[in-house]
């Protein structure tokens, strides 16, 4: 018993030393153009963020389209207001719905997000969310909370361990460690609320924030994988929250408090991402979740634009999925693609390939020839010529 | 109870007297002739604080202090030999071809550490030390008019007061809690061929603190042991 008492005293000393760390109080909103002192915990986070930013600049995932980055930056600036000059935007070609804000103002926006938002208003909400992380000092807040929590966990598990109940000690530690992953809920909710307000103040329709969550839910529900459908979350800025539905409800309440209406900028938005649709869809198919990819493509098709590119990738999704009947579905999608002015040349080749597999030699021949006419310098010309030769030989046999 | 605490405190003191853990790689290639031009790449140092609960908190001030200390000591050491030295701050060239070489160098050095000193053996590197960056390093030779480049890295953590208290409490209870530790490594590269001619790793003991001038001087001495300059 005396031993336990002494351990408790030592543990109390440890607990007080953990909290005694001289930390500057965190203001509600970040003061402008202040680089934290190197001697502070926040200074350390900034130095690390600077390192990460150097790596991003040299990353092969960095999108070098200056016009696209400039556009995303422009929207970020609209919702950042007077924090605009403190934020740097990097577009990364990564096929997941994600954006991130580093403590030092370096903002990453992934192509998977750009592919999934419908208009500028939705992008503005997402960027407003990220900007809020910076403006409201969420990184340092989250860091200090994590530090306090892990220290408490250490003390509690040591005391419990010292009392001879090491299993209990582990459970306490695990319990608190688990809460570490959900505590950012507070910051995420804060970012949702302020992000929505920022988008609204910049003139965008706040109701679009609700649509971002709805689209996300619908896409997740279409996943090929049970695990994804049940988890109701993915690699995303909305990841840390266990329940998208609860968050959607909170946003809906928030929207009611804001003035109705506002800009959407749907056409302008699509025009900006149009040159990248093909590359980004190709990346998306690499995730091998065809349920989600097909849902996404159908969603993009609803706007009635870019039908050639979208139908082509719909065909690609079916071709790669290879379930029963997918060959026919792919054929139908490619056929719709080649009827559109924006169909990529590859659509004719893929269609011909499928037709050849399905035994439609004449159609296959016509479409292989159409492909070579549209892409006379294609790298795979020799392959297509070989297929044509085989098809012609078949005719004579 | 107090006896246990006393033993724990003793262990702290004993570890402060331990010697450096210096490992020396084989020589590959001739020693640079007198009058060679040596490009000293400023040390890349990242230090953090190990919190009571076991998180690593990056400490920009410690990293900066240690970087300045090591840079000063390395220059002073090499300057005393028969070569001409130039220094380069790598953070100023990270976006060009030179930046790619800095990253390649780090990757090669980490491979040398992993496959040469950590007990993991690559069949092709078993009996020889023949690591190279390839002759693309000529870019550095031409740009900076140098024959050799010396790279230095420092990584690690120092325990916070709370962590030390946790260690004491843990020791009293017979629970082992890992403390902060640091590691430094350095390599000398022939810029004409890209060959890594010398490599060394030094792990400072508890009392040798690279954040202080004296600690950095002792550590640099250990780190540059047998460097063929």
């Amino acid at each position: 018993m005396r031993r336990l008492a002494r351990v408790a005293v030592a543990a109390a000393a440890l607990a007080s030393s953990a909290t005694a760390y001289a930390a500057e109080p965190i203001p509600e909103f970040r003061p402008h153009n202040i680089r934290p002192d190197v001697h502070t915990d926040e200074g350390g986070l900034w130095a690390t963020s600077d390192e990460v930013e150097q790596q991003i600049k040299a990353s092969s995932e960095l999108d070098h389209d200056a016009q696209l980055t400039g556009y995303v930056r422009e929207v970020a600036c609209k919702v950042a207001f007077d924090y605009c000059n403190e934020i740097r935007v990097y577009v990364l070609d990564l096929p997941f719905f994600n954006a991130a804000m580093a403590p030092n103002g370096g903002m990453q926006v992934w192509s998977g997000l750009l592919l999934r938002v419908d208009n500028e208003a939705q992008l503005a909400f997402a960027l407003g969310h990220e900007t809020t992380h910076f403006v409201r000092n969420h990184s340092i807040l989250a860091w200090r909370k994590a530090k306090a929590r892990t220290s408490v966990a250490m003390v509690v598990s040591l005391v419990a361990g010292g009392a001879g109940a090491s299993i209990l000690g582990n459970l306490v530690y695990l319990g608190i460690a688990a809460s570490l992953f959900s505590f950012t809920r507070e910051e995420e909710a804060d970012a949702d609320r302020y992000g929505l307000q920022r988008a609204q103040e910049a003139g965008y329709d706040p109701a679009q924030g609700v649509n971002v969550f709805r689209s996300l839910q619908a896409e997740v529900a279409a996943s090929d994988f049970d695990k994804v459908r049940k988890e109701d979350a993915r690699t995303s800025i909305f990841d840390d929250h266990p329940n998208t539905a609860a968050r959607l409800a909170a946003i809906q309440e928030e929207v009611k408090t804001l003035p109705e209406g506002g800009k959407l900028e749907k056409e302008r938005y699509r025009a900006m991402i149009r040159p990248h649709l093909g590359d980004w869809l190709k990346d998306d198919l690499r995730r091998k979740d065809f349920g989600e990819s097909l849902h996404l493509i159908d969603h993009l098709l609803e706007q009635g634009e870019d039908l050639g590119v979208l139908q082509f990738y719909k065909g690609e999704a079916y071709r790669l999925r290879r379930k029963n009947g997918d060959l026919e579905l792919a054929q139908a999608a490619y056929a719709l693609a080649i009827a559109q002015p924006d169909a990529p040349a590859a659509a004719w080749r893929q269609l011909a390939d499928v037709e050849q597999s399905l035994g439609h030699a004449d159609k296959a021949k016509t479409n292989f020839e159409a492909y070579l006419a549209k892409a006379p310098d294609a790298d795979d010309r020799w392959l297509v010529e070989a297929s044509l030769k085989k098809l012609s030989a078949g005719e004579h046999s | 109870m107090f006896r246990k605490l006393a033993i724990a405190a003793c262990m702290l003191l004993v570890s402060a007297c331990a010697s450096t853990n210096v490992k020396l790689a084989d020589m590959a290639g001739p020693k640079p002739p007198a009058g060679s031009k040596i490009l000293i790449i400023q040390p890349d140092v990242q230090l953090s604080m190990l919190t009571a609960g076991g998180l690593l908190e990056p400490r920009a001030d410690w990293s900066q202090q240690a970087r300045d200390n090591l840079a000063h000591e390395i220059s002073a050491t090499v300057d005393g030999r028969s070569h001409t030295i130039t220094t380069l701050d790598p953070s100023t060239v990270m976006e060009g071809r030179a930046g790619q070489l800095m990253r390649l160098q780090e990757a090669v050095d980490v491979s040398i550490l992993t496959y040469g000193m950590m007990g993991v053996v690559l069949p092709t590197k078993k009996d020889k030390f023949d690591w190279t960056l390839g002759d693309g390093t000529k870019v550095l030779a031409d740009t900076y008019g140098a024959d050799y480049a010396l790279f230095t890295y420092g990584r690690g953590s120092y325990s916070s007061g709370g962590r030390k208290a946790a260690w004491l409490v843990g020791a009293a209870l017979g629970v082992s809690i890992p403390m902060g530790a640091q590691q430094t490594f350095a390599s000398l590269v022939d810029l004409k061929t890209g060959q890594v001619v010398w490599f060394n790793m030094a792990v400072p003991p508890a009392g040798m603190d690279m954040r202080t001038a004296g600690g950095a001087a002792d550590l640099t001495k250990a780190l540059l042991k047998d460097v063929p300059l």
Side-chain angles (χ1 to χ4, degrees), chain A residues 3 6-7 10-11 13-14 17-18 21 38-45 47-48 51 54-55 57-58 143 146-147 150-151 154 158-159 161-163 173 180, chain B residues 1-2 4 44-46 49 51-62 64 67 91 94-95 103 161-163 165-167 169-170 172-175 177:
Chain A
R3 176 170 179 255
R6 283 203 185 110
V7 171
L14 159 61
S17 77
Y21 181 79
V38 286
H39 298 288
T40 61
D41 48 359
E42 199 180 7
L45 293 189
T48 306
E51 294 276 337
Q54 283 295 336
Q55 287 169 18
K57 281 182 188 168
W143 177 255
K147 225 161 57 170
T150 51
S151 295
M154 176 70 108
L158 275 175
V159 171
Y173 201 94
L180 190 68
Chain B
M1 179 69 195
F2 286 118
K4 275 186 184 167
D44 173 349
V45 182
Q46 288 167 27
M49 178 172 75
T51 69
L55 297 180
L56 289 171
E57 177 167 297
R59 286 294 299 257
D61 49 348
W62 295 354
Q64 209 168 301
R67 192 179 304 137
S91 67
M94 287 316 274
E95 275 167 61
R103 285 186 202 91
R163 187 72 177 179
W167 186 85
V169 174
L173 297 168
V175 181
I177 294 166

Side-chain angles (χ1 to χ4, degrees), chain A residues 360-379:
Chain A
H360 308 312
D362 287 348
K363 285 183 185 167
K365 211 172 154 228
T366 312
N367 286 317
F368 274 134
E369 278 160 0
Y371 170 66
L372 289 184
K374 281 174 194 302
D377 300 322
D379 287 342

